[in-house]
Amino acid sequence: MKLHALAMGFVFLASCSTPPGDSDSGTGGSNLGSGGTHVNGGTSASGGNLGSGGTTSAGGTTGLGSGGSTAAGGSAAMGGSGGGDSSGGRSSPGGSIGTGGSSGAGGTSSGGQNSTGGTPDTGGDNRSDGGPGRDASSDLSRTDGSTGTGGSTGNGGSTGTGGSTGTGGSTGTGGSTGNGGSTGGGSHPGFYVDGRYLYDKCGNKTILRGVNEMIVWSPNGHTCAKECPEIAKSGANSIRMSWDSTGAAADLDKAVSNAIASKLIPMPEHHGAGGDLTKVPSSVDYWVKSDVLSVLLKYQDKLLLNIANESGGSNVAAATFESTYKTAISRLRTAGYTCPLVIDGSQWGQDLDRLVGSAPVLTAADPLQNILYSVHTYWQDASGSQVKSRLPAAIQTGIPLIVGEFADVMVGACTPGAFNVVALMQVAKEQEIGWLPWSWGAVTNSDCPGQFEMSDGTFAGLKGWGLTVATTDPNSIKNTSVISPYVAKGSCN
């Protein structure tokens, strides 16, 4: 979720910037107060646990959790009761208004009961993609949802020389699974996904510990010349760069180059499709433009490409989500991209269930099987209970998952602590999940002004939850980040 005071294109509770002056409010959107989500007309289902032994459905996904409603395409809702998302996403200029919250997408899974309640709330998520600013929208939080223990699905087939992967991403001969371990690389053109883990070209396991920054709207220019060195002082190993079709290829070249010079893995994301799956083709159009393609292919051994930020609102069917991204994957691979492609969840990045349900299908559709999946945890979760149940349950399916955006506040709940960042970091450390909070702070968010920013754009200016996440917590960036040797040295020697 990203909102810029000047260029707010608020589009989700997950990641978007909004140009100033364009504030979208979702019709019937619910306010996410400290007491939880306010669902407009939506009843939450609490029954229907998918117990241990939940078998996979025809689409290959396993239903995890209780009460999650299912939809066609094969995934059961994971991790909670009732499947509705509340509205109240971040408002951003020019942003479209999402209609209707969605319950878990995907078909019924076999081996467990589907909850009968869980009608979606009517107030959709607000988002747009107009510019800097956090997009926030419906809270996908679930309450009192227990996670099932059985029926996890593997994430896709064998990988290159580091060993074959199974459920949970174990490595084969020569590959160590420890943080920083090596699978014996060198044969890959750049970063690659093996099982549920990311590795650099040299085979070093890479757990992302970085930040988001709205580089394309930066008042310092659009080259990360100031931001990247400051971010690097935290020990971060990556940066997710907000970008859009207004960004010049020459600026993108400098921004990516400056990130690598600061030993940061650059992850450009196209911020023009928030909440709207039909705009994914336009995001791909930008990535395959000849001048942009020329720039990124030059660096693709060291970068990750986030296809479209938080694309897809509520009620995105599995078939539609998968069809859209299958086409995007095909176009990008045909254009020459071999780097890992990053796919955000629908519902403005928050729908973890959709990612778990569609990951096997999308990974299989990629000829390189080099896909990462990113959830934006703008969930009402002050206690951390959702993070502690839902993320481990997702990991059990073998999905190569990162948390692409989070903060300790959320749209409609600007009170510090609305989301438990300490719990997230703890679970991520235990489960080896990469994460990047929103946002560094050189660009001001329009939603909850001053509270989504980790700092004033400088390392010395870190404050509040930003200081906790960057340096002071035992599981902070400073204390858990490992720089990729390949990005640092440019070779495997």
Side-chain angles (χ1 to χ4, degrees):
M1 60 183 270
K2 307 125 176 114
L3 297 179
H4 181 293
L6 299 178
M8 278 191 41
F10 153 43
V11 172
F12 68 139
L13 217 232
S15 83
C16 271
S17 313
T18 46
D22 278 42
S23 158
D24 280 340
S25 56
T27 42
S30 57
N31 295 322
L32 300 179
S34 59
T37 61
H38 172 80
V39 181
N40 195 3
T43 62
S44 62
S46 59
N49 293 330
L50 296 179
S52 62
T55 59
T56 60
S57 63
T61 63
T62 301
L64 298 175
S66 67
S69 61
T70 60
S75 81
M78 166 187 302
S81 65
D85 56 283
S86 66
S87 65
R90 289 186 179 280
S91 59
S92 60
S96 58
I97 300 173
T99 63
S102 68
S103 54
T108 27
S109 70
S110 58
Q113 292 179 313
N114 302 319
S115 62
T116 56
T119 56
D121 55 333
T122 57
D125 309 314
N126 309 324
R127 316 210 179 219
S128 76
D129 264 337
R134 176 134 227 43
D135 304 331
S137 73
S138 69
D139 173 34
L140 187 64
S141 61
R142 311 262 205 268
T143 58
D144 66 17
S146 59
T147 59
T149 58
S152 62
T153 59
N155 189 22
S158 61
T159 61
T161 62
S164 63
T165 65
T167 305
S170 60
T171 57
T173 333
S176 113
T177 57
N179 189 8
S182 169
T183 59
S187 63
H188 296 272
F191 279 91
Y192 63 97
V193 176
D194 184 346
R196 74 173 188 88
Y197 294 111
L198 176 69
Y199 296 87
D200 71 11
K201 178 179 172 66
C202 304
N204 299 294
K205 183 186 289 186
T206 305
I207 311 294
L208 298 180
R209 290 289 184 269
V211 300
N212 282 269
E213 186 55 294
M214 295 175 271
I215 300 300
V216 76
W217 301 295
S218 172
N220 301 319
H222 310 150
T223 66
C224 209
K226 292 187 177 180
E227 293 89 348
C228 281
E230 289 297 313
I231 291 168
K233 291 177 182 178
S234 69
N237 63 13
S238 50
I239 175 175
R240 183 171 180 262
M241 300 176 167
S242 294
W243 206 259
D244 68 9
S245 296
T246 67
D251 285 342
L252 182 60
D253 192 338
K254 293 175 183 175
V256 171
S257 177
N258 284 328
I260 294 170
S262 295
K263 302 179 182 179
L264 301 171
I265 302 163
M267 187 199 307
E269 54 93 350
H270 194 279
H271 218 75
D276 188 348
L277 205 63
T278 67
K279 292 183 178 179
V280 170
S282 295
S283 295
V284 176
D285 288 344
Y286 180 80
W287 297 131
V288 300
K289 283 178 55 180
S290 59
D291 55 348
V292 173
L293 181 65
S294 177
V295 166
L296 294 183
L297 291 188
K298 183 168 60 173
Y299 299 109
Q300 73 164 333
D301 60 323
K302 299 181 182 72
L303 63 76
L304 317 175
L305 185 64
N306 200 161
I307 300 173
N309 178 67
E310 299 180 344
S311 190
S314 303
N315 276 327
V316 174
T320 304
F321 187 79
E322 291 161 11
S323 158
T324 298
Y325 276 109
K326 281 181 181 179
T327 300
I329 291 167
S330 177
R331 291 183 63 196
L332 291 166
R333 293 303 187 210
T334 299
Y337 287 105
T338 58
C339 61
L341 301 177
V342 183
I343 296 177
D344 287 1
S346 55
Q347 194 169 330
W348 292 269
Q350 299 169 65
D351 195 341
L352 179 58
D353 304 333
R354 179 71 280 121
L355 290 177
V356 170
S358 295
V361 174
L362 295 176
T363 296
D366 178 15
L368 302 181
Q369 296 195 354
N370 202 12
I371 309 287
L372 281 174
Y373 299 91
S374 176
V375 63
H376 297 177
T377 56
Y378 293 110
W379 304 337
Q380 184 86 29
D381 191 18
S383 69
S385 61
Q386 289 190 68
V387 162
K388 293 174 183 177
S389 62
R390 298 185 69 197
L391 291 182
I395 289 303
Q396 288 175 12
T397 71
I399 184 174
L401 181 70
I402 63 171
V403 177
E405 288 187 26
F406 69 93
D408 85 331
V409 291
M410 54 188 292
V411 173
C414 293
T415 303
F419 179 78
N420 194 321
V421 299
V422 171
L424 173 70
M425 291 188 290
Q426 179 182 352
V427 170
K429 179 65 165 58
E430 294 168 352
Q431 301 291 330
E432 296 184 296
I433 301 171
W435 49 257
L436 304 96
W438 182 274
S439 60
W440 182 245
V443 183
T444 303
N445 287 270
S446 56
D447 189 68
C448 301
Q451 292 181 266
F452 273 105
E453 295 77 35
M454 299 172 65
S455 75
D456 59 3
T458 67
F459 178 74
L462 284 165
K463 60 183 180 179
W465 73 272
L467 188 64
T468 300
V469 167
T471 66
T472 61
D473 189 84
N475 297 312
S476 67
I477 291 172
K478 176 183 177 182
N479 292 320
T480 62
S481 177
V482 176
I483 304 296
S484 160
Y486 181 68
V487 172
K489 298 188 298 182
S491 72
C492 295
N493 298 322

